[in-house]
Amino acid sequence: MPPIEEPQDDLTVTPPKTWAAGVPAVAHALEYSLAQTSPRRTALTLLNLNQDGGIDCPGCAWPEPKKRHKNEYCENGAKHVTDEATSRRVTREFFAEHPVAELAQKSDYWLNQQGRLTEPMVKLPGGTHYQPIGWDDAIGLIAGELTGLASPDEAMFYTSGRLNNEGAFLLQLFARAYGTNNLPDCSNMCHESSGSALGETLGVGKGTVSLEDFYEADLVLVVGQNPGTNHPRMLTALEQTKHNGGQVVAVNPLPEAGLKRFKNPQRPSGVVGRGTTIADQFLQIRLGGDLALFQLLNRLLLEAEDDAPGTVLDRVFIERDTAGFEAFAEHVRRTEWAEVLEATGLTREEIEELRGRVLASKKIIVCWAMGLTQHRHGVPTIREIVNFLLLRGSIGRPGAGVCPVRGHSNVQGDRTMGIWERLPEPFRHALEEEFGFAPPTEPGYDSVHGVRAMRDGKVKVFMGVAGNFVRAMSDSAVTEEALRRCRLTVQVSTKLNRSHTVCGETALILPTLGRSDRDVQATGEQFVTVENSMSQVHTTRGRLDPASPHLLSEIAIICRLARRTLGTGGSIPWEHFEADYGLVRDRIARVVPGFEDFNERVVLPGGFRLPSPVNEGVYRTGSGRAEFSCNDFTSLVAPAGHLVLQTVRSHDQWNTIPYTMDDRYRGIHDSRHVVFVNPDDLDELGIEDRALVDVVSVWDDGTERRLEGFRTVSYPTARGSGAAYYPEANCLVPLDSVAEASNTPTYKGIVVRLEPVAGGGG
Ligand code: SF4
């Protein structure tokens, strides 16, 4: 295969697309796949993708329907899995050729395109290059560091949503048997706000709806979410909502193609026809205006009930299932139109139109993603959405409920398996009963606290199991410096990424099996399991020969590390767990509620759905009822001469990794160094379209963070609301800028100014 060149930054802009998917999506997926690997491996991978007994897409966590299409995946899913199944390889010769300092200068794109990692590598103290190390020595090195620490809390174990259920369960078991709850995960950076708000108000930190609910809903509100890029098969569900007579309303600062029109490549009408209009109404809201919108909507519902008693609110449900209604109603009646119009940038007519749609709907689903969770007031916003649904009784009934849409395949499952810096008492007790040791009770570090702890020298060993922590976290310079202060950094990975170039004194790369790789252990071929966004637990089984004979599964790595660190004589049979993943599932069945008969049920077609207590009318809250809450909003309006900036993903990217330098749907080609600005804002700022600017964020303590040499792109985003790509713009988010209660970095609410670069033109 030809060597990978660094992409040239050569921006061209075409009009944004007005529809998503269709034939071009299929063509792009195939083009990318065939550039990565052979037609045979492409076919083997794609024919098994998202099929019963096949490979679960490592992309987002959108569920599969009961009746599956033979091509049950989207453009991005095809890219994700063939990106992993690539035939390119990163060998010891590659590392000998490229010193770490050189790799650190390479782009995320270039690093990813080098291919699959093939053997364990170590960078020793003072060394300039990674060099090969045997598995035994690598595991021994980590165990030596861990056993030498003054306290287990000087280590932390990060997880991304790629890790399967069994691996996640074993990782938290190992960390807790070792003695720490330092288990930050990528949830800390994405849906922590959802878990926090839903746990408080409904007693469970997950969504309540199933795919079938989308087919029955009268109204689906898609808020702060771009399904066309981040959860593309969700468009198929929304298309079905429309076909069944339901309506869809999109609330977003950006007019995304997937929210406008969807050409379903699985239907003839999507191939040759006009496709389906998705959003019946598009509310182009300002960044951070969602709480104000829902608060006003709730006031309007109360007033509509006043006008026609007994026709708007679900009084029976409110009486029977909820608490706190009176205080909430009193609070929300004080919401002022003028303040809401300022915070949202919407018109009175737009909000009244939405009110009309809500009043005409009995079964309502609200979906959301990072556009809500990554704001300072992400948690109160989601609490207010719960208020909204409770008023209409749209919780716990078919066709209605909450739907936080997860962007990474097993991020929800990892949390179910106990990956959390907080250890709930029932889980702690169950672990103690099952394994006979006393897990630590003190909360550990989440991602933000973990960076602070590394920065301050309190954490000395960082181990990342999957993911790209350095790139995913906020305040990139601070995060990188924190990692560099560690005695040891360990990255368990399939491919090269930026985190491998940010080394502790000693750094290890441990290459692992991907989703698409066959996993054979001492007792034979294994499968693992995942949980999707709608709490369906099912198997995933790799079909390809592993990228190298020297790879270990994550489970094997964790088990071997546990044995070396904790010794072999304890009560946890790590060796047997490594040999037979079914034994891990037997233990999960005894520790985690809802997993009874795990091994038997998970191999049934489609697996099984975890119980949703809310749908049974059970609320594990303090009052035993669904809780109304009182929330206050403040307008996120930037001072004069400034914008509020959000980070967004391009269509041709997955999480931290761009697959090309394009963002097809938004009309951006050959560059990621752009900042989208409303044309009227550009006028007001006196800056031209395509001008070269530095993007500078300003933080409360007077410090500034700078992104140099970006081009402005005049774009129809909401007034005052700019956008730049994630992860490039993460450096602008101060470490201390976090959401209340959830501690999630505020990637969607950064106050910035644009500083024209002399001679940067337009
Ligand atoms: S919708 Fe998500 S899970 Fe499904 S194929 Fe696309 S990326 Fe993968």
Side-chain angles (χ1 to χ4, degrees), residues 574-585:
W574 299 105
E575 198 173 355
H576 296 140
F577 287 161
E578 179 182 339
D580 181 355
Y581 300 172
L583 298 177
V584 185
R585 287 187 286 275

Side-chain angles (χ1 to χ4, degrees), residues 388-562:
F388 166 74
L389 292 169
L390 293 179
L391 284 178
R392 300 285 283 158
S394 265
I395 287 277
R397 69 160 62 140
V402 288
C403 183
V405 186
R406 317 269 171 175
H408 203 167
S409 60
N410 198 40
V411 64
Q412 185 163 312
D414 290 346
R415 184 57 62 86
T416 306
M417 290 296 115
I419 297 284
W420 201 15
E421 70 279 0
R422 282 169 268 169
L423 178 56
E425 188 48 34
F427 202 100
R428 196 193 68 76
H429 185 70
L431 282 179
E432 187 166 0
E433 282 273 291
E434 181 64 26
F435 294 105
F437 72 93
T441 52
E442 282 296 301
Y445 296 126
D446 64 9
S447 295
V448 168
H449 284 124
V451 171
R452 287 194 194 119
M454 288 187 282
R455 177 196 65 190
D456 299 340
K458 293 180 185 159
V459 160
K460 299 185 171 73
V461 174
F462 171 94
M463 181 166 176
V465 182
N468 183 6
F469 183 76
V470 160
R471 272 316 238 170
M473 258 306 284
S474 56
D475 221 345
S476 315
V478 174
T479 297
E480 291 190 9
E481 198 40 46
L483 265 286
R484 288 196 177 97
R485 289 208 63 191
C486 288
R487 281 179 53 78
L488 174 67
T489 50
V490 184
Q491 309 286 352
V492 179
S493 309
T494 52
K495 299 185 84 180
L496 202 57
N497 64 43
R498 172 84 188 157
S499 294
H500 304 120
T501 73
V502 179
C503 301
E505 203 178 327
T506 301
L508 278 168
I509 298 175
L510 303 183
T512 190
L513 295 176
R515 282 276 169 85
S516 49
D517 295 331
R518 189 174 293 117
D519 184 352
V520 181
Q521 302 295 339
T523 61
E525 195 172 317
Q526 307 292 312
F527 65 84
V528 288
T529 64
V530 292
E531 175 187 341
N532 66 33
S533 239
M534 294 181 185
S535 303
Q536 190 76 19
V537 180
H538 60 88
T539 63
T540 173
R541 187 192 286 267
R543 299 287 169 167
L544 302 178
D545 291 338
S548 148
H550 307 299
L551 304 186
L552 288 182
S553 71
E554 287 129 335
I555 291 173
I557 294 169
I558 296 162
C559 288
R560 291 182 191 190
L561 178 59

Side-chain angles (χ1 to χ4, degrees), residues 49-50 56-64 72-78 80 227 229-234 406-407 409 654:
L49 187 57
N50 290 335
D56 182 59
C57 174
C60 78
W62 191 255
E64 287 73 47
E72 194 59 58
Y73 54 83
C74 68
E75 172 193 347
N76 292 352
H80 304 331
T229 285
N230 297 316
H231 324 93
R233 278 187 310 116
M234 182 178 171
R406 317 269 171 175
S409 60
W654 182 54

Side-chain angles (χ1 to χ4, degrees), residues 106-117:
K106 298 293 189 183
S107 68
D108 299 301
Y109 169 86
W110 188 91
L111 292 168
N112 176 63
Q113 290 295 327
Q114 299 311 311
R116 289 287 300 274
L117 296 159

